Amino acid sequence: MKNIVIFGAPGSGKGTQSDKLIEKYGFKHISTGDVLRDQIKRGTELGKTAKGFIDEGKLIPDELMVGILADVYDSFGKDHEGVIFDGFPRTIPQAEALKAMLAERGHKVAAMVELHVPDEELVKRLVLRGKVSGRSDDNEETIKKRLNVYHTQTQPLCDWYNKEGLFHSVDGLGDIDRIFGDVCEIIDSL
Ligand code: AMP
């Protein structure tokens, strides 16, 4: 079982690469952003809380996110190839909680793969995505806030995973299939 954290700023291509990984390796997939958007659509208490944070470009408090994580992970059962964590963890407490949650089950993260993309390109991609996604947070003002949150709260996880010996980075600029090839090389080496 290979549990993989696919990591990067908003717009770095985590969702695109996750879809391709699921198809190739049969991994299960947790996208915390998708989980939250689904909760908002269904009008749940969590969804109502999450909406305010998402629209502001802020992170949902760690304790709420960690609660969701174990439930989704356990819903996959035990008999699978591994799980892709997409959009989680986003803070050091989340990374610690993920490690503890997996350890309780005798599991671990096999690798963290960063998709490295410069900010100018991220803004371009997200503005373009906003035109088709209808996502309330894909507008220029919120994009800037999300990138700021990424650099201050999320990017320090590169160092955290490096210390764990799990950090890998891929150039996330350019052809999708070339990027995918680089990601697969890492996964196949695990
Ligand atoms: P995403 O679809 O991954 O870009 O997530 C969209 C928004 O959902 C983020 O800007 C956050 O407001 C929220 N969100 C998603 N995942 C997390 C997480 N792991 N921790 C906190 N907030 C999150």
Side-chain angles (χ1 to χ4, degrees):
M1 181 195 281
K2 290 176 182 173
N3 287 320
I4 312 289
V5 173
I6 189 100
F7 189 86
S12 59
K14 299 188 295 292
T16 303
Q17 296 298 325
S18 293
D19 288 347
K20 294 176 79 68
L21 288 169
I22 294 160
E23 199 190 334
K24 175 163 175 175
Y25 295 95
F27 291 135
K28 301 289 182 188
H29 180 220
I30 300 179
S31 156
T32 43
D34 285 350
V35 170
L36 294 170
R37 283 184 287 276
D38 181 59
Q39 297 274 332
I40 292 171
K41 222 188 280 167
R42 287 166 34 210
T44 64
E45 279 309 307
L46 173 61
K48 284 178 198 153
T49 309
K51 186 164 173 30
F53 289 100
I54 291 180
D55 288 349
E56 284 281 303
K58 292 182 182 155
L59 298 182
I60 278 74
D62 288 334
E63 56 278 15
L64 289 180
M65 297 310 301
V66 170
I68 303 173
L69 183 81
D71 287 349
V72 182
Y73 187 77
D74 288 335
S75 75
F76 296 143
K78 290 183 179 139
D79 186 23
H80 55 74
E81 301 300 316
V83 175
I84 301 173
F85 294 90
D86 164 1
F88 190 101
R90 266 176 150 99
T91 63
I92 288 173
Q94 288 184 17
E96 284 165 348
L98 175 61
K99 187 177 175 182
M101 187 277 283
L102 292 174
E104 273 169 28
R105 291 154 178 79
H107 301 168
K108 59 183 171 46
V109 168
M112 182 266 224
V113 182
E114 181 209 21
L115 303 173
H116 193 85
V117 178
D119 276 15
E120 312 85 78
E121 171 70 12
L122 294 169
V123 174
K124 262 193 244 160
R125 288 186 191 177
L126 290 167
V127 168
L128 206 67
R129 184 173 81 182
K131 294 195 172 129
V132 284
S133 71
R135 271 178 58 163
S136 56
D137 56 350
D138 280 345
N139 61 76
E140 208 150 344
E141 195 193 332
T142 315
I143 289 166
K144 290 214 175 99
K145 288 188 193 158
R146 287 160 67 205
L147 289 180
N148 188 35
V149 165
Y150 175 75
H151 290 304
T152 53
Q153 294 180 256
T154 305
Q155 212 169 21
L157 283 173
C158 291
D159 268 349
W160 193 90
Y161 276 106
N162 200 19
K163 286 190 188 118
E164 296 271 308
L166 298 173
F167 176 72
H168 303 264
S169 186
V170 160
D171 178 4
L173 261 187
D175 181 63
I176 289 174
D177 288 323
R178 196 230 78 238
I179 299 166
F180 185 57
D182 290 355
V183 175
C184 291
E185 210 174 290
I186 293 164
I187 289 174
D188 292 338
S189 74
L190 298 172

